[in-house]
Amino acid sequence: MSEPVPTRDHALATAGTEEAGGESTGTVVVAGLANLGIAIAKLVGGLISHSSAMLSEAAHSVADTITEVLLFIALKRGDKAPDARHPVGYGRETYFWALLACLATFTLGAGFSFYQGVETIVEGEEQGSPTAAYVVLAVSFVLEGASWLKAVRQVRSSAERWGTTPRRYLAETTDTTVKAVTFEDSAALVGLVLAALGLFLEQVTGDPVWDGVAAVLIGVLLLVVAGSLARANVSLLIGQSVAPALSDQLREELMGLPQVDDVPFLITSVIGPGQLIVSAKVDFADTATVADVERASDEAERRLVARHGGVRFVFLDPTPGDGRAQAARRPE
C-alpha cells in the first residue's frame, strides 16, 4: 500500500503526507518514553519479587526502548531529500534501521527471556514479595495501553483514509514504523498478562516453574513479533512491489490514455514509506507522433501522481505491439 507523500516535481498530496509523517513520529516518541519508564519499574519489581518473568519483561521494555530509538532514527534518515548520489532519495534506509530494531527485540528481549525462563525451570528461584511486581504490572499495563491506543488510532485513521480495514492496512502499509509500534505494544500487553499469570501461579502453588514458563512464553512472543517485522522490512529493503490490485489500477490508468493501445509490462517498486516508482513498457498507437508520445507521457505522470499520491517517479518505455518487446508481461 502506498502512502500519500510529496513528489519531487509535484505539490499534490503534500499536506496529507506531512500529517502522516508527524503522526508516525509522535507515535514512536510516545512509545519510547513509555517503554523507558516501564523498563525501570519492571526491573525494580523483578528484583524485589525475584521473578524471572518480571525480569524478562524488563528486558522486553529495554529492547522496546532501543527499538523506538532506532525507529526514530529510521524516520529521520529516511526523510532526507534526494541528492546526486541517491537520486531517488533515502526512503529505503528507513527499512534498514527498522530491521536493526527487529534484531534488538530478537537478541535482547527474546534471548534474555529464554535464558531467564530456562534457568528458573532448571534451577528454581527464591520467592520474594509479589506485591511490588503486581503494582508495577498494573501501572505498566496502563502506560502500555495508552501507547497502544495511540498506535491503534493512527492505524484506524490511515485505514479509513485509504478505504480499507485496519488489519489489511497493517499487512500492506509501507510505513513499518507504525506497524512495529502496534505489534510491539500488542506484544507488551500480552507479555504483561503472561508475567502476571506466571507470578500468580507461582504464588499459589509455590512452584517457580510457572514463573519460568511465563518467561519462556514471553520469549516466544517476542520471537514471533521480531520475525514478522523482520520479514516485512527485508522485503521492503530489497524493493517490494505494490499489491496486485494497485498494480492493476496503475495499468488501467495508463490504458485509459487515448494514445495508448496496450501496456504489456509494468513493474512497481517501493523506495520508502509511501514512495513508489512506476516503470512500464507502453505500446502507443501507430498513428501517434513524437509530440503525441511526449504529451501522453506527461499526462501519464500527472494522472498517476494525482490519483495515487505515493507515486514519485514514472518511467515509460515506448514498445512496439508486434511481439518484439524485450520483456513480456510478468504474472502479478
Side-chain angles (χ1 to χ4, degrees), residues 160-242:
E160 183 178 355
R161 186 165 63 247
W162 284 101
T164 186
T165 63
R167 182 175 181 178
R168 184 178 177 187
Y169 175 82
L170 281 175
E172 296 183 358
T173 182
T174 58
D175 185 358
T176 56
T177 54
V178 69
K179 179 188 290 188
V181 172
T182 304
F183 279 24
E184 289 169 359
D185 284 348
S186 299
L189 292 174
V190 175
L192 289 170
V193 173
L194 290 174
L197 184 60
L199 193 63
F200 174 74
L201 290 174
E202 180 188 14
Q203 183 183 5
V204 171
T205 64
D207 190 349
V209 169
W210 292 109
D211 191 46
V213 169
V216 171
L217 290 177
I218 291 171
V220 172
L221 178 67
L222 294 178
L223 192 63
V224 171
V225 170
S228 176
L229 292 173
R231 185 168 59 253
N233 281 292
V234 167
S235 179
L236 289 163
L237 186 60
I238 294 172
Q240 178 178 296
S241 64
V242 298

Side-chain angles (χ1 to χ4, degrees), residues 17-327:
T17 302
E18 291 176 347
E19 180 182 355
E23 195 174 3
S24 294
T25 302
T27 300
V28 169
V29 170
V30 169
L33 292 175
N35 283 321
L36 180 59
I38 292 170
I40 296 173
K42 286 178 180 177
L43 178 60
V44 174
L47 292 175
I48 294 176
S49 64
H50 299 159
S51 168
S52 60
M54 279 296 298
L55 292 176
S56 296
E57 274 297 298
H60 179 180
S61 293
V62 170
D64 283 352
T65 302
I66 296 174
T67 293
E68 306 309 335
V69 172
L70 292 172
L71 291 178
F72 184 80
I73 295 174
L75 287 170
K76 297 306 178 184
R77 293 287 299 176
D79 198 40
K80 292 174 61 178
D83 54 35
R85 191 168 184 180
H86 301 88
V88 298
Y90 290 78
R92 282 183 183 165
E93 188 172 350
T94 300
Y95 307 128
F96 169 75
W97 291 100
L99 181 59
L100 291 184
C102 297
L103 294 177
T105 300
F106 175 78
T107 55
L108 294 178
F112 186 81
S113 296
F114 282 128
Y115 170 78
Q116 279 290 321
V118 172
E119 183 180 47
T120 299
I121 293 173
V122 174
E123 300 182 5
E125 65 183 7
E126 178 185 354
Q127 295 187 28
S129 173
T131 303
Y134 286 130
V135 172
V136 169
L137 287 172
V139 173
S140 298
F141 195 90
V142 173
L143 294 176
E144 292 283 11
S147 176
W148 178 81
L149 285 175
K150 178 173 176 57
V152 169
R153 280 196 297 268
Q154 181 180 351
V155 170
R156 287 179 177 174
S157 175
S158 298
E160 183 178 355
R161 186 165 63 247
W162 284 101
T164 186
T165 63
R167 182 175 181 178
R168 184 178 177 187
Y169 175 82
L170 281 175
E172 296 183 358
T173 182
T174 58
D175 185 358
T176 56
T177 54
V178 69
K179 179 188 290 188
V181 172
T182 304
F183 279 24
E184 289 169 359
D185 284 348
S186 299
L189 292 174
V190 175
L192 289 170
V193 173
L194 290 174
L197 184 60
L199 193 63
F200 174 74
L201 290 174
E202 180 188 14
Q203 183 183 5
V204 171
T205 64
D207 190 349
V209 169
W210 292 109
D211 191 46
V213 169
V216 171
L217 290 177
I218 291 171
V220 172
L221 178 67
L222 294 178
L223 192 63
V224 171
V225 170
S228 176
L229 292 173
R231 185 168 59 253
N233 281 292
V234 167
S235 179
L236 289 163
L237 186 60
I238 294 172
Q240 178 178 296
S241 64
V242 298
L246 180 55
S247 182
D248 290 340
Q249 291 177 23
L250 294 170
R251 176 178 278 109
E252 289 174 4
E253 297 285 356
L254 295 177
M255 290 286 292
L257 295 171
Q259 300 91 340
V260 174
D261 285 343
D262 191 19
V263 181
F265 181 66
L266 183 144
I267 62 172
T268 58
S269 181
V270 175
I271 57 173
Q275 302 173 35
L276 179 66
I277 286 179
V278 179
S279 303
K281 285 185 173 292
V282 178
D283 177 20
F284 289 95
D286 293 339
T287 57
T289 65
V290 173
D292 290 335
V293 171
E294 291 175 346
R295 283 193 297 269
S297 297
D298 184 63
E299 174 61 23
E301 181 180 18
R302 292 179 182 276
R303 181 176 294 192
L304 293 186
V305 170
R307 300 181 184 181
H308 305 276
V311 176
R312 290 193 61 179
F313 301 92
V314 178
F315 301 106
L316 302 183
D317 178 14
T319 300
D322 56 4
R324 292 187 289 119
Q326 294 298 309

